[in-house]
Amino acid sequence: MSLLTEEEIAAGLSQAAGWERSGDAITRTIKLGDFRDAMIYVGAVAHLAQAANHHPDIAISWNRVTLTLSTHSAGGLTRADFALASQISALP
């Protein structure tokens, strides 16, 4: 999988509400009702990630979940990162 250009990354971010660039990755932090809600959300993200065979780094802090997407094998951002970000953003 090939790395995206800076222009492609900027275009992807313009369509990825809630996601921010962080070096060679994109991140999103979502605040949920409580720990249980955070774990349910992480389960939904895990389902999408497994189906896409593309797995984010996930940090959970009580009711906050931070997701970090980057294609480690390519060394940065690829279309797979923005495709999964779009699916995650569609979660309720």
Side-chain angles (χ1 to χ4, degrees):
M1 191 159 295
S2 61
L3 292 174
L4 297 176
T5 66
E6 290 299 319
E7 293 79 21
E8 290 170 323
I9 293 169
L13 282 170
S14 72
Q15 297 177 1
W19 292 86
E20 298 178 355
R21 178 102 183 252
S22 178
D24 289 336
I26 55 174
T27 64
R28 179 180 189 204
T29 299
I30 185 164
K31 182 179 178 182
L32 297 134
D34 58 19
F35 183 75
R36 179 182 168 277
D37 291 345
M39 295 307 296
I40 291 169
Y41 177 78
V42 167
V45 169
H47 177 77
L48 294 174
Q50 193 63 24
N53 193 30
H54 192 64
H55 306 95
D57 293 333
I58 301 172
I60 305 164
S61 180
W62 192 63
N63 68 339
R64 291 184 196 278
V65 177
T66 300
L67 304 170
T68 303
L69 285 167
S70 181
T71 304
H72 301 291
S73 62
L77 291 165
T78 66
R79 294 193 192 287
D81 299 305
F82 286 97
L84 184 54
S86 176
Q87 291 180 335
I88 291 169
S89 293
L91 290 172

